[in-house]
Each structure stands twice: as C-alpha cells, then as structure tokens.
Amino acid sequence: MSDSLRLDSLVDDLAGDLKPVRRLAPPTFRALGWFAAVLALAVVLSPLADLHAMRERLGVPDLCVAAIGAVLTALCAALAAFQTSVPGRSRLWALLPLPPLALWIGASSLGCLRAWIAPDSNIADTAEMRGCLYFLLGVSLPLSVLLVLMLRRACPTRPNLTAALAGLATAGAAAALLVPFHPHDATASDLAMHALAVAVIIGLNGLAGGRLLDRGTSRTTGGPAPSAPRR
C-alpha cells in the first residue's frame, strides 16, 4: 500500500471516531441558567421560610437595599464568570459586579449602627449567628459545584479569576437566599459573621474551583508557539 493510501486510511479511521461538538450557549444564557437554578432552590426552601417576617424586614430600607445588592451581585458576578471563561474575552468583565457589590456592602454596613440608631433591634445571639454561617456555607456548596461544572465546559484561560468570580456569585446568591430565614436584624457582629462566610466561600472557590477549571490552558496561552519539528 502506498504512503498516500495509508495516510487516507489513517484520516478515515480518525475521522470515524470523531463526535460532533455541541456549541456552548452564549455566556449570558448560561449565567441566566445558573441563576434559574438559584431561583429553583429558593422555591424549594420557601415552605420553610417565614415569609411574613421577611416582608417586614424588607420594609426596612437598608435591609431591602442590601438584599437587592446581593441579588444583583450574584447575577453580575455569574455573568462575569461566564464571560471570562471564554478564551479571548477581556478580563475587564471582572469589573461588572463591583457596583452592585458596593451597594450590597454599603447597605449592609448600616447594620453596624443598628444597635445605636434602633436600640429595640432584635440582636442575634451566638447560636443564631452560627446558624447563619452554616446556612450560607451549606447553600453555597451545591451552587458552587454547579457553577464550576458549567464554567469548566468553556475551558477558561484565567481559571483563578473565573473561579473567584464564581465564588462571589455564589456568596451573593447564598446571602440573598438567607433573607427569608434571617430571624433578626443586621448588627455589627452578625455582619462580621456574614463577611466571614462570604470570604470563606470566595476563597474556597478560588482555590478548589481554580484547580478544577485549570486544564493547562493558563500555562500554555500567552507563551511562545511551539516550533515546527525539524526534518
């Protein structure tokens, strides 16, 4: 058999094993898909929530704005994570969640003054604050796993950045889901516990998620192209 026939046979054998690649949906659609999973989790948890108390808490301006900021942070950070997971997309997408994050932090910070401006506030005890921490970490786990699995399909070239944004999205979603279950007003000690949970969520996503998202592309992109073999 001639060399050309052997080459044609090899090409046919390789092509016969190929499977069609399903094109990924645009980042915006995938971000909305993940956010739909967050909403589905909210529906599942809703029978356990005190909706009447939630409506009362959302009637307080700073608590309402903080909840809106958490929701917007989750949505914008998820979109930024999916955008940065696509090779060639600008890392400036990472700036997208910063405005809602500032809104979330700013409104939540007013809780540090709550014991002073509202002496009758229902201040959380240690057990309640610990319960908030467990809720935030517990809810963030499945959301983080789902988000990292969705992001991994795009083969990110900046896995650590994408994973950190995924952590921020998960933290915002978990904080928003906590609102119907938060039995007390936000105070400095309570917010410190929330900040600790958010930091842990982002940190774990950045470490574990970054490793899961890194398929070697971050080490190969940006380097010199491999030289052609010498004859």
Side-chain angles (χ1 to χ4, degrees), residues 34 38 70 73-79 81 143 147 164-174 201-202:
W34 177 79
V38 176
T73 298
L75 184 57
C76 291
L79 176 57
L143 295 179
L147 186 51
L165 289 168
L168 180 58
T170 303
I201 293 169
I202 296 176

Side-chain angles (χ1 to χ4, degrees), residues 18-228:
L18 293 178
K19 296 180 180 179
V21 177
R22 184 178 179 181
R23 185 174 182 179
L24 290 176
T28 301
F29 289 170
R30 286 185 286 146
L32 291 176
W34 177 79
F35 199 73
V38 176
L39 295 178
L41 181 57
V43 172
V44 171
L45 294 175
S46 61
L48 305 175
D50 187 348
L51 299 181
H52 176 71
M54 182 191 72
R55 285 191 293 268
E56 290 185 348
R57 286 193 296 274
L58 291 181
V60 180
D62 62 299
L63 296 178
C64 181
V65 173
I68 294 174
V71 172
L72 294 178
T73 298
L75 184 57
C76 291
L79 176 57
F82 280 106
Q83 289 287 355
T84 58
S85 71
V86 178
R89 297 293 173 91
S90 173
R91 65 178 61 199
L92 293 178
W93 277 103
L95 301 178
L96 180 64
L98 293 186
L101 177 61
L103 179 66
W104 179 20
I105 294 175
S108 298
S109 297
L110 293 178
C112 297
L113 305 176
R114 188 170 301 280
W116 176 60
I117 61 178
D120 295 332
S121 297
N122 180 19
I123 300 177
D125 57 26
T126 303
E128 289 174 328
M129 289 189 292
R130 191 164 52 244
C132 291
L133 176 64
Y134 293 158
F135 180 93
L136 291 170
L137 295 178
V139 169
S140 68
L141 178 59
L143 295 179
S144 295
V145 171
L146 175 61
L147 186 51
V148 169
L149 290 177
M150 294 176 68
L151 290 168
R152 197 168 187 267
R153 296 186 61 197
C155 198
T157 57
R158 291 183 288 267
N160 291 330
L161 175 62
T162 300
L165 289 168
L168 180 58
T170 303
L177 290 173
L178 176 63
V179 172
F181 301 92
H182 207 251
H184 44 266
D185 297 320
T187 58
S189 56
D190 183 47
L191 291 173
M193 187 66 71
H194 290 190
L196 173 62
V198 169
V200 170
I201 293 169
I202 296 176
L204 290 178
N205 273 268
L207 292 175
R211 291 177 179 272
L212 291 173
L213 294 176
D214 190 356
R215 298 184 177 182
T217 55
S218 60
R219 295 185 293 272
T220 57
T221 54
S227 57

